[in-house]
Amino acid sequence: MTFTSFDFFVFLALFLAIYYWIPQVFRIHILVMASMLFCYYAGGRGMLFSLAVSTVSTWYGAIQMEEAQSEHKKKQWFYGVLLLNVGILIVFKYLNFFVYTGRVAGKLFHREFPFQEILIAAPLGLSFYTLQMIGYFIDVSRGICQAQRSLLKYGAFSCYFPQLVTGPINRYNEMEKSLYQDREFDYKRFTFGFQRMVWGLFKKLVIAERMAVIVNTVYGDSSAYSGCYILFATFCFACQLYTDFSGAMDIAAGISEAIGIQIAENFDNPFVSRSLSEFWRRWHITLGSFMRDYIFYPVLKSELFSRIGDGAKEILGKKAGKKIPVYMGMVILWFTVGLWHGGAWKYIVGSGLLHCFFIISGQLLESWFKRFLSWCFIHTDCFSYHLFQRVRTSVLVCTGFVFFRSRSFRDGLYILKKSLYPNIWIFTDGSLLKLGLDVPDFIAGGVALGILWFVSIQHEKLVKEGSGVREKLAEQNLIFRWSVYYALIFSVVILGFYGPGYDASGFIYQNF
């Protein structure tokens, strides 16, 4: 049961009707029951079991840790619960990766690795809800929030169904107030939530699923395509990945808004970014903030890295030496980000270490690059240079996406090599029409992308003014306002990819 299935729409309609019909005192019970039901039908018993183990362990462990009379007892609970939940994540998602890497290393050193890979299916959405509960548990240990005594209330946070499969990774102290407060039905809030859900469906069904046809054709048979075929398919994959993931976030945020629960934003128009660092502050925001607060900063503050920093300063000087532990911490951070995406080197490189290399290289070469710009009399505070920066950032991001979408790391290198073939004539001789989409589909996809770009740019401008697209649209005349609403709804109904013969694999990031 995914966000785009008919079963989910029936489930959601029944949930909303019951949620607002029953007295407020029972609404948290209905929310938890609905979350358990969604969990079972979306991910089966495996997901339900792993979710229950993580929920009970972090809930009980946080209480015991908070009530511990000694620092030793507190550490026992902290490391015990942390190891349990990280262990679940490793066993289900990364065990085979370590086995595979061990076997490869064994061959390189002419040693036999004694373990074999095993087939084990990871529960749906495991990485999202596990990290969220680990974040809550660590926050309790740091005194950022108090342990929730009620298992029912904590279950509403840990098992909240809109966030289970694709995130975002919410913080308990940010979500607590809106999650537990009494709420009356609010027409404006409900309609705004519905609008955002439809916008998410527009991204997913009208754009992402169209782009997927081209991407699957080219990347599914990489030996048959080269040059601009690969470049075009990679551009389509960037569009697919963004609209697929942000579409899921819009649906989750829309459901939450309809019932008055505030969840974290996960995207902030990332493709207007002028640097890779800015891109990752705008893309998958909650994962980035989790990795920064719970991995990067603790690593930098550790005793080992303090010693490394002191030694580097003595050898290289204060200015250069203090950068060494930071760069080492960045390598650990980006390796973890890549590993989170999946237990394969294509993810570790494509979503992690490659971006780390680009960012560190940019910082090391920044002074030389500024000197070069000065020598060439290039103005940096103008539209043309900002456009160059955005194109450069998008190209670097898409280079990582090649590995992300490829079957393996080796296949990614092969595809990058083949992308250098200059067959630009495919854009004029009709070759693109052989990739699975006809002319009306190309037009529909292009227009939809144009609408997405326009709305995203307008929304970013309006947010700076303290407003938003939906708020601005609500101020317009009745006929114009409802014309836009109906156009969006009917575009999803008429142009969306679904129905008989459509085999949706769900959202891309629900597999992480």
Side-chain angles (χ1 to χ4, degrees):
M1 183 166 61
T2 65
F3 284 165
T4 57
S5 67
F6 177 75
D7 292 345
F8 177 75
F9 293 134
V10 173
F11 163 81
L12 181 61
L14 290 173
F15 165 72
L16 291 173
I18 297 172
Y19 185 82
Y20 278 115
W21 176 70
I22 63 172
Q24 291 196 23
V25 69
F26 297 116
R27 285 180 182 173
I28 195 168
H29 298 76
I30 294 299
L31 183 60
V32 173
M33 289 173 62
S35 297
M36 292 293 99
L37 192 64
F38 173 83
C39 177
Y40 178 76
Y41 281 103
R45 296 177 182 176
M47 181 181 180
L48 197 61
F49 178 75
S50 66
L51 184 62
V53 170
S54 293
T55 297
V56 173
S57 64
T58 52
W59 167 74
Y60 187 72
I63 295 173
Q64 294 301 314
M65 184 172 57
E66 197 173 65
E67 295 178 348
Q69 299 298 316
S70 65
E71 193 65 26
H72 177 70
K73 196 70 174 177
K74 181 178 179 179
K75 286 183 177 180
Q76 282 185 328
W77 279 105
F78 177 79
Y79 289 113
V81 173
L82 199 62
L83 285 173
L84 171 64
N85 285 274
V86 173
I88 292 173
L89 202 57
I90 290 174
V91 168
F92 279 107
K93 290 203 64 177
Y94 309 119
L95 185 61
N96 282 337
F97 165 73
F98 293 122
V99 171
Y100 170 78
T101 304
R103 289 171 62 187
V104 171
K107 290 179 181 179
L108 291 175
F109 293 100
H110 306 288
R111 294 287 187 272
E112 184 177 347
F113 192 72
F115 301 103
Q116 297 293 323
E117 296 175 45
I118 56 174
L119 294 176
I120 181 169
L124 200 64
L126 178 67
S127 295
F128 287 103
Y129 58 77
T130 301
L131 289 196
Q132 178 165 300
M133 284 185 268
I134 287 174
Y136 157 80
F137 186 71
I138 295 175
D139 283 349
V140 171
S141 73
R142 293 175 176 177
I144 295 174
C145 61
Q146 291 185 331
Q148 173 56 252
R149 261 54 183 176
S150 169
L151 180 58
L152 178 69
K153 286 186 175 182
Y154 180 67
F157 166 75
S158 65
C159 307
Y160 182 53
F161 73 88
Q163 72 185 11
L164 272 183
V165 175
T166 56
I169 304 168
N170 289 289
R171 303 289 181 95
Y172 179 79
N173 59 312
E174 295 174 355
M175 193 176 172
E176 178 184 13
K177 183 178 178 181
S178 65
L179 185 61
Y180 302 139
Q181 68 183 5
D182 292 338
R183 291 173 294 275
E184 297 291 344
F185 177 82
D186 185 287
Y187 176 77
K188 179 182 177 181
R189 187 182 66 209
F190 187 86
T191 54
F192 271 28
F194 179 76
Q195 291 167 25
R196 188 156 184 184
M197 279 189 276
V198 177
W199 180 241
L201 291 171
F202 174 81
K203 287 182 179 179
K204 169 64 176 175
L205 297 177
V206 180
I207 301 177
E209 293 303 313
R210 268 184 176 77
M211 298 298 106
V213 174
I214 295 173
V215 175
N216 293 340
T217 300
V218 175
Y219 275 84
D221 189 9
S222 56
S223 61
Y225 298 95
S226 61
C228 291
Y229 281 113
I230 294 174
L231 297 179
F232 182 64
T234 303
F235 165 77
C236 290
F237 179 64
C239 297
Q240 178 199 358
L241 191 62
Y242 172 63
T243 52
D244 186 284
F245 196 10
S246 66
M249 294 300 97
D250 286 325
I251 296 171
I255 296 170
S256 300
E257 190 171 6
I259 59 178
I261 296 175
Q262 185 177 359
I263 63 174
E265 293 291 342
N266 222 13
F267 289 92
D268 183 18
N269 207 8
F271 286 100
V272 303
S273 304
R274 290 157 54 187
S275 68
L276 266 181
S277 297
E278 182 186 358
F279 179 88
W280 283 100
R281 289 194 299 268
R282 290 171 173 265
W283 176 282
H284 209 340
I285 298 170
T286 57
L287 176 66
S289 64
F290 181 95
M291 295 295 178
R292 179 196 65 212
D293 294 341
Y294 301 117
I295 293 179
F296 184 62
Y297 289 158
V299 164
L300 289 187
K301 293 176 182 177
S302 66
E303 185 178 347
L304 173 62
F305 271 66
S306 295
R307 291 177 185 173
I308 292 173
D310 293 339
K313 289 175 185 176
E314 291 180 6
I315 299 172
L316 302 174
K318 187 175 181 181
K319 186 176 180 180
K322 69 179 182 180
K323 294 181 180 180
I324 299 300
V326 174
Y327 291 153
M328 292 176 63
M330 288 176 65
V331 172
I332 295 173
L333 168 71
W334 284 104
F335 178 87
T336 309
V337 169
L339 185 63
W340 178 89
H341 282 83
W345 281 105
K346 67 170 189 170
Y347 294 122
I348 292 172
V349 173
S351 296
L353 296 179
L354 187 62
H355 297 278
C356 180
F357 170 76
F358 288 148
I359 292 172
I360 293 178
S361 298
Q363 292 179 3
L364 292 174
L365 299 174
E366 184 178 10
S367 60
W368 292 357
F369 188 61
K370 285 182 178 179
R371 221 172 296 160
F372 170 78
L373 294 175
S374 178
W375 289 340
C376 297
F377 300 100
I378 296 176
H379 299 288
T380 58
D381 190 18
C382 59
F383 169 77
S384 59
Y385 186 73
H386 293 171
L387 179 62
F388 159 74
Q389 288 179 306
R390 291 186 174 105
V391 172
R392 176 192 61 189
T393 300
S394 297
V395 169
L396 295 177
V397 168
C398 286
T399 303
F401 284 165
V402 169
F403 291 100
F404 187 99
R405 183 56 183 82
S406 300
R407 288 188 292 266
S408 65
F409 174 69
R410 182 180 296 179
D411 189 46
L413 291 175
Y414 173 70
I415 289 174
L416 281 177
K417 179 182 177 181
K418 292 196 68 180
S419 68
L420 302 176
Y421 182 69
N423 53 347
I424 59 174
W425 55 83
I426 69 168
F427 294 106
T428 59
D429 64 2
S431 297
L432 296 181
L433 297 177
K434 301 176 182 178
L435 299 180
L437 296 182
D438 55 19
V439 173
D441 276 324
F442 268 103
I443 293 174
V447 171
L449 282 173
I451 293 171
L452 173 63
W453 175 82
F454 176 78
V455 171
S456 299
I457 296 299
Q458 293 303 311
H459 181 70
E460 184 162 357
K461 291 179 180 178
L462 291 170
V463 166
K464 293 178 181 178
E465 300 171 3
S467 182
V469 171
R470 292 176 298 171
E471 289 79 2
K472 211 68 178 176
L473 188 58
E475 298 173 0
Q476 307 306 311
N477 292 320
L478 182 68
I479 295 176
F480 177 82
R481 187 169 71 245
W482 279 97
S483 296
V484 174
Y485 295 156
Y486 279 122
L488 182 62
I489 293 171
F490 282 115
S491 66
V492 173
V493 174
I494 297 171
L495 301 176
F497 271 43
Y498 55 87
Y502 172 63
D503 182 21
S505 58
F507 291 86
I508 295 174
Y509 264 78
Q510 74 180 25
N511 298 312
F512 302 135

